[in-house]
Amino acid sequence: MTTARIAFIGGGNMATSLIAGLIADGQAPDSLQIADPSQDRRNSLESRFGVRAFAQNADAIAGAETVVICVKPQLAAAVCRDIATPLKSGRPLVISVMAGVPEQAMQRWFGTTLPIVRAMPNTPAMVQSGAIGLHASPEVDAEGRNRAETILRAVGLIRWVADETQIDAVTAISGSGPAYFFLFMEAMEAAGIDLGLDAETARLLTIQTALGAARMAMESDAPPSRLREQVTSPGGTTERALAVFNGADLHDLVARAATAARDRAAELSHTLSEQS
């Protein structure tokens, strides 16, 4: 792991997860600099990780080769303008984990053209099990892409997309995806209770089944359809249950839900890009 300086603007959950993952991967704590307006949060980050925390964004950016912006999208315009001057002088790689904020809007707020990587992580990144989509602006070279991969891999699996608009599809699948699985798990737990299991048994069986299925899918070369077939004996219980899902056209339902999420992501991106 490189010891090049990395600055984080915003010290919330995602920044904390990235910091924890980077240090676990061997990044030197004193090479990480964080800016956050909360004194309590700065104190917590310094005592927990041994990093350096600042109240002012410009102080955190000083000397950093990479700047990771981890603030709420509503704050994007104000924060980008606030850090524009130190970014212009240092010209670091900028990694944005601000959902829905287009590269073009950031370049406009910065007042200059910088290498930008947009990252769309999901909440499992907080337990180093994230699925993260990345897109690089034309200014990002091979070294910059490698640097972004190194940082984001600290919290999970990464995949690059060729077109920035595909980040909206990433949002629909992995960004919002954990909520889909939690909803299904919620329904599974409730069904188990209705069938006579106690609540804790229903909860643990559901969670472990989800974990086991995901691990099988990750470790197998077979597609999910093949894994499903291997579990489904003709005339058995699984076949009967799947017939109910198929009768409700589960594939179409999931497709419509993902499309709705993708379209909403695009709407939000358009709104944020028009911030003055």
Side-chain angles (χ1 to χ4, degrees), residues 93 136-150 160:
L93 171 70
S137 72
E139 298 76 24
V140 180
D141 58 17
E143 191 276 332
R145 289 171 71 99
N146 288 337
R147 207 186 317 166
E149 287 186 14
T150 298
W160 290 94

Side-chain angles (χ1 to χ4, degrees), residues 150-267:
T150 298
I151 293 170
L152 274 302
R153 277 205 183 109
V155 293
L157 174 147
I158 65 102
R159 297 293 295 178
W160 290 94
V161 295
D163 191 294
E164 188 182 3
T165 60
Q166 291 176 310
I167 288 289
D168 294 333
V170 172
T171 301
I173 299 303
S174 59
S176 298
Y180 312 159
F181 287 99
F182 293 145
L183 177 62
F184 194 79
M185 291 165 68
E186 180 185 347
M188 287 274 287
E189 285 185 38
I193 293 169
D194 288 344
L195 293 173
L197 298 175
D198 65 82
E200 183 67 359
T201 297
R203 184 182 77 87
L204 291 175
L205 289 177
T206 296
I207 293 171
Q208 185 62 31
T209 300
L211 177 64
R215 184 168 180 176
M216 285 184 68
M218 182 63 79
E219 295 182 359
S220 174
D221 292 332
S225 59
R226 179 59 183 152
L227 296 176
R228 171 181 52 77
E229 292 168 358
Q230 291 172 352
V231 180
T232 309
S233 301
T237 58
T238 306
E239 184 181 68
R240 184 70 63 87
L242 292 177
V244 176
F245 287 129
N246 290 332
D249 205 346
L250 180 62
H251 279 259
D252 178 68
L253 183 63
V254 171
R256 288 191 289 117
T259 299
R262 189 275 315 273
D263 292 347
R264 180 56 178 158
E267 291 170 5

